[in-house]
């Protein structure tokens, strides 16, 4: 069913006028004079050319506009917009989302930087994987002078709705499908803080995941003038509001995946139960208990399993199997080689239109 929904969604999306394969970068800016030129240069230096940069000034009083204008005059792919004063980054980003006419849309704050292949690698993920509503770069912290402070951010490969019980991303590391952003109405500007986390939750509640582009990086600048650094208490309170919404029904999300309709509590329970049933099914097969495996497989929700990382699930399987059949983990290679054909035969005899590609990936990671 999930596969059918996604095929229908993307079939409808193709009817839009969005430029296929192209990406718009949204850059809100306010008094960014010390950093904005370097941020723009990191976009100009990308390894692909099918991009458009929209800079949205929020009423700067320094040389931000002057610098942005000089770039927009010299580059046909760079546009400067001045709409209002001190409206906040969420409102400015939403203006950019509404103007975007490209298939993909990325965000970059005016003090952050993209690695040279950042856009290319994130766009490639979205072109190859329909289950991904967005792709993300890993994040590297830098100080005001651009010096490295150490790696930050998630190292997971796939992040779904239930994983987002914690906020895992900064806005600058995300590249998303424009059609989904526009469908959801962009950022909820009733939040002064945490509006990005709120949007990622709403995107993944639709039944998609956010997928890593491991060799893509965003340099995330840390400095005392950062908005969230100035308002720590207000930042915390808004993020708690975002969390509260995530644990209940959300009328802002049209047609969520049924497992996610009632928020993170039931969603986490369903996800956990489905993964446990699948791991128990595999353990039963390793123990030659085919009937038990069949019963356990009937308890697996493949539309949820497909939203998990098959590599991570394969790693979890090793520990589960070793524990259940009481063998030391160092004997894993011998165990898996003796059971590989049985596992493949079991799933070949029980084809499932939606699960077959996922099972193939999973078994490949498990038995190789």
């Amino acid at each position: 069913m999930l596969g059918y929904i996604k095929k229908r969604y993307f079939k409808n999306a193709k009817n839009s006028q969005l430029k296929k394969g192209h990406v718009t970068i949204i850059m809100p800016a306010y008094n960014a004079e010390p950093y904005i030129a370097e941020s723009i240069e990191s976009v100009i230096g990308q390894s692909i050319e099918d991009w458009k940069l929209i800079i949205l000034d929020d009423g700067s009083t320094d040389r931000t506009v002057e610098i942005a204008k000089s770039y927009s005059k010299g580059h046909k792919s760079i546009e400067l917009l001045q709409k209002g004063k001190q409206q906040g980054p969420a409102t400015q980003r939403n203006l950019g989302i509404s103007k975007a006419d490209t298939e993909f849309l990325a965000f970059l704050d005016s003090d952050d930087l993209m690695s040279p292949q950042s856009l290319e690698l994130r766009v490639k993920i979205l072109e190859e994987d329909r289950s991904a509503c967005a792709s993300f770069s890993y994040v590297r912290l830098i100080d005001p002078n651009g010096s490295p402070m150490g790696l930050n951010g998630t190292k997971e490969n796939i992040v779904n709705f239930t994983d987002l019980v914690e906020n895992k991303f900064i806005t600058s590391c995300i590249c998303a499908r424009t059609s989904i952003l526009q469908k959801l109405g962009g950022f909820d500007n009733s939040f002064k803080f945490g509006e990005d986390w709120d949007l990622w939750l709403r995107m993944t509640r639709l039944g998609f995941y956010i997928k890593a582009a491991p060799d893509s990086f965003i340099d995330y600048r840390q400095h005392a003038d950062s908005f969230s650094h100035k308002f720590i208490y207000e930042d915390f309170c808004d993020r708690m509001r975002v969390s509260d919404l995530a644990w209940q029904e959300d009328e802002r999300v049209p047609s969520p995946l049924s497992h996610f309709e009632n928020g993170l509590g039931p969603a986490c329970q369903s996800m956990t139960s489905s993964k446990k049933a699948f791991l128990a099914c595999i353990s039963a097969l390793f123990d030659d208990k085919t009937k038990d495996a069949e019963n356990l497989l009937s308890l697996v929700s493949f539309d949820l399993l497909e939203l998990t990382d098959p590599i991570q699930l394969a790693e979890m399987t090793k520990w589960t199997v070793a524990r259940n059949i009481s063998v030391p983990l160092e004997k894993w290679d011998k165990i898996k080689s003796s059971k590989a054909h049985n596992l493949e035969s079991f799933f070949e005899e029980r084809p499932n239109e939606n699960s077959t590609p996922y099972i193939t990936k999973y078994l490949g990671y498990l038995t190789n």
Side-chain angles (χ1 to χ4, degrees), residues 177-237:
R177 299 186 189 278
T178 304
S179 58
I180 293 179
L181 292 172
Q182 292 177 344
K183 177 180 180 179
L184 291 170
F187 297 90
D188 186 336
N189 57 19
S190 70
F191 294 105
K192 193 174 181 180
F193 303 93
E195 74 284 353
D196 51 352
W197 181 24
D198 173 71
L199 182 53
W200 318 149
L201 282 160
R202 286 186 283 133
M203 285 198 302
T204 53
R205 199 190 280 238
L206 291 168
F208 297 94
Y209 50 63
I210 302 175
K211 192 171 184 178
D215 295 317
S216 170
F217 294 93
I218 294 296
D219 291 326
Y220 180 33
R221 200 181 302 269
Q222 306 293 294
H223 53 84
D225 292 332
S226 171
F227 197 47
S228 58
H229 289 178
K230 288 183 176 181
F231 303 98
I232 295 176
Y233 177 73
E234 292 87 345
D235 180 278
F236 173 82
C237 290

Side-chain angles (χ1 to χ4, degrees), residues 24-28 51-56 77-81 92 95-97 99-101 105 108:
T24 297
I25 306 101
I26 302 299
M27 180 184 290
W51 57 262
K52 178 180 182 179
L53 173 62
I54 301 179
I55 305 169
L56 300 115
S77 297
I78 298 177
E79 179 181 358
L80 171 64
L81 294 179
Q92 297 291 0
L95 176 59
I97 291 171
K99 288 183 64 64
D101 61 357
L105 192 148
L108 185 68

Side-chain angles (χ1 to χ4, degrees), residues 66-178:
E66 179 184 339
I67 295 169
K69 279 183 177 178
S70 68
Y71 279 99
S72 64
K73 289 177 180 178
H75 297 266
K76 63 179 182 180
S77 297
I78 298 177
E79 179 181 358
L80 171 64
L81 294 179
Q82 295 175 271
K83 300 283 186 180
K85 182 177 181 181
Q86 287 290 275
Q87 295 179 321
T91 298
Q92 297 291 0
R93 290 186 186 114
N94 283 345
L95 176 59
I97 291 171
S98 69
K99 288 183 64 64
D101 61 357
T102 57
E103 185 178 8
F104 308 117
L105 192 148
F107 302 99
L108 185 68
D109 285 352
S110 55
D111 52 359
D112 297 336
L113 309 170
M114 292 182 179
S115 61
Q117 288 186 294
S118 180
L119 287 179
E120 179 182 1
L121 294 171
R122 285 182 286 167
V123 165
K124 183 179 179 182
I125 292 289
L126 296 177
E127 288 180 329
E128 294 178 348
D129 191 344
R130 287 188 170 188
S131 292
C133 61
S135 53
F136 68 93
S137 300
Y138 290 154
V139 175
R140 301 181 295 204
L141 296 179
I142 59 174
D143 67 15
N145 298 316
S147 300
M149 296 174 62
L151 190 65
N152 181 49
T154 181
K155 294 289 282 185
E156 296 179 44
N157 181 44
I158 289 171
V159 176
N160 59 50
F161 175 65
T162 61
D163 297 326
L164 283 168
V165 68
E166 297 178 357
N167 188 9
K168 293 180 177 288
F169 306 115
I170 62 167
T171 312
S172 289
C173 77
I174 293 291
C175 179
R177 299 186 189 278
T178 304

Side-chain angles (χ1 to χ4, degrees), residues 221-261:
R221 200 181 302 269
Q222 306 293 294
H223 53 84
D225 292 332
S226 171
F227 197 47
S228 58
H229 289 178
K230 288 183 176 181
F231 303 98
I232 295 176
Y233 177 73
E234 292 87 345
D235 180 278
F236 173 82
C237 290
D238 259 6
R239 292 180 191 279
M240 289 303 96
R241 286 177 56 214
V242 170
S243 180
D244 287 344
L245 280 170
W247 285 86
Q248 56 188 280
E249 292 182 27
D250 193 338
E251 62 183 14
R252 300 169 303 161
V253 183
S255 305
L257 186 67
S258 59
H259 299 284
F260 298 162
E261 283 179 349

Side-chain angles (χ1 to χ4, degrees), residues 236-364:
F236 173 82
C237 290
D238 259 6
R239 292 180 191 279
M240 289 303 96
R241 286 177 56 214
V242 170
S243 180
D244 287 344
L245 280 170
W247 285 86
Q248 56 188 280
E249 292 182 27
D250 193 338
E251 62 183 14
R252 300 169 303 161
V253 183
S255 305
L257 186 67
S258 59
H259 299 284
F260 298 162
E261 283 179 349
N262 297 313
L264 283 170
C268 290
Q269 185 177 17
S270 296
M271 183 72 77
T272 300
S273 297
S274 192
K275 284 199 292 188
K276 284 183 177 294
F278 183 76
L279 292 172
C281 168
I282 300 298
S283 292
L285 291 174
F286 270 90
D287 204 19
D288 297 319
K289 296 178 179 177
T290 305
K291 186 60 178 177
D292 285 349
E294 289 177 349
N295 291 334
L296 288 161
L297 190 64
S298 69
L299 302 176
V300 177
S301 298
F302 275 99
D303 52 354
L304 290 177
L305 204 66
E306 285 180 324
L307 298 178
T308 67
D309 181 1
I311 300 176
Q312 185 183 53
L313 193 64
E315 288 297 318
M316 292 170 64
T317 301
K318 296 178 185 180
W319 293 92
T320 303
V321 168
R323 184 181 70 249
N324 284 357
I325 64 176
S326 302
V327 296
L329 197 60
E330 54 263 27
K331 292 187 177 181
W332 171 253
D333 286 340
K334 184 177 180 180
I335 298 168
K336 73 177 183 182
S337 62
S338 67
K339 299 293 182 179
H341 179 71
N342 291 348
L343 293 175
E344 292 172 358
S345 297
F346 177 83
F347 287 104
E348 285 173 359
E349 293 169 4
R350 296 159 184 82
N352 181 298
E353 179 184 354
N354 297 321
S355 66
T356 302
Y358 183 90
I359 292 297
T360 301
K361 289 181 184 177
Y362 162 80
L363 290 176

Side-chain angles (χ1 to χ4, degrees), residues 37-66:
E38 193 176 1
S39 296
I40 295 171
E41 289 288 350
S42 77
V43 175
I44 294 172
Q46 289 300 298
S47 57
I48 58 173
E49 297 180 354
D50 297 333
W51 57 262
K52 178 180 182 179
L53 173 62
I54 301 179
I55 305 169
L56 300 115
D57 180 65
D58 202 19
S60 297
T61 57
D62 61 3
R63 294 183 59 250
T64 296
V65 171
E66 179 184 339

